Amino acid sequence: MNATAERKPVHLAVYDTLADWETGHATAHLARAGYRIRTVGPSTDQVTSIGGLRIQPDTALDDVRPEDSSLLILPGADLWDTSGDLAPFARKARAFLDAGVPVAAICGATAGLAREGVLDDRDHTSAVSFYLAATGYAGGGRYVETDAVTDGNLVTAGPTEPVAFAREVFRLLGVYEGEVLDAWYRLFHDSDAAAYAVLEKAGAA
């Protein structure tokens, strides 16, 4: 069995009002790097994204175990701020981190992690600091004003930074590193055509 086949899948959380645009860079390039992307819903019932995409989850949240995963990705969604329906996903994220398995949260999912207490003792970012402060969490002193943050096995980012979010995921999993990672970011974030030559030379284009 080759190294790619041995990789555990990446689990992408999906739920109603999912923010479509926030995780596409990460999942597309993880898949190209050989990771299977498995969607995880509250159940296996169909969910609908904020853009109207209908998604049939591969598995239910209760059936996902940290030891069977390379990474849990939590996208933003209106539901993070309008109900407690997604709190089980934040609890699952805590279980992943406690087991030493990476978690990547963007936009509203960072508020969910704040409410769960996951951000109290980790550096993190989000849309703006007062968005997380409104959750009443105790981690305000660890908030970092930047595009995306990695602290240990946790990646966080705000809703306008899907490319930086993906960059940190790739760095954490070792998908791209050094010059190649920098070139990938410059290509997709800055439209720097010169970066494509670096990726092509590395076989990452």
Side-chain angles (χ1 to χ4, degrees):
M1 183 178 295
N2 61 38
T4 296
E6 292 171 353
R7 287 177 176 155
K8 296 176 182 178
V10 167
H11 288 92
L12 171 67
V14 295
Y15 20 69
D16 287 333
T17 72
L18 161 74
D20 313 69
W21 66 92
E22 293 177 342
T23 61
H25 286 89
T27 55
H29 288 271
L30 286 171
R32 292 187 69 179
Y35 286 92
R36 287 182 296 123
I37 308 299
R38 300 273 295 169
T39 53
V40 182
S43 69
T44 55
D45 292 342
Q46 188 179 87
V47 300
T48 303
S49 76
I50 199 168
L53 299 180
R54 292 181 293 277
I55 304 167
Q56 191 75 48
D58 294 315
T59 190
L61 183 65
D62 285 347
D63 296 327
V64 175
R65 304 185 307 168
E67 59 265 34
D68 298 328
S69 184
S70 291
L71 169 72
L72 174 64
I73 300 176
L74 298 178
D78 290 346
L79 285 179
W80 282 112
D81 296 319
T82 59
S83 77
D85 291 356
L86 301 186
F89 285 90
R91 290 195 292 272
K92 183 69 72 170
R94 177 183 285 283
F96 266 61
L97 292 168
D98 286 348
V101 181
V103 171
I106 185 169
C107 189
T110 63
L113 296 188
R115 295 184 188 98
E116 180 63 22
V118 171
L119 305 184
D120 288 352
D121 55 0
R122 294 176 172 90
D123 289 346
H124 59 276
T125 194
S126 184
V128 289
S129 60
F130 57 79
Y131 170 63
L132 292 187
T135 68
Y137 83 132
R142 302 294 295 269
Y143 189 90
V144 182
E145 293 282 0
T146 191
D147 55 6
V149 171
T150 299
D151 187 328
N153 279 330
L154 177 65
V155 172
T156 52
T160 61
E161 299 293 346
V163 180
F165 179 69
R167 179 197 66 208
E168 294 304 300
V169 167
F170 302 154
R171 192 198 315 273
L172 186 59
L173 294 184
V175 172
Y176 303 134
E177 299 175 315
E179 181 186 28
V180 175
L181 181 64
D182 177 66
W184 182 90
Y185 181 76
R186 287 189 288 113
L187 178 62
F188 287 95
H189 187 266
D190 303 326
S191 299
D192 182 353
Y196 184 81
V198 177
L199 296 177
E200 188 174 39
K201 182 179 180 181

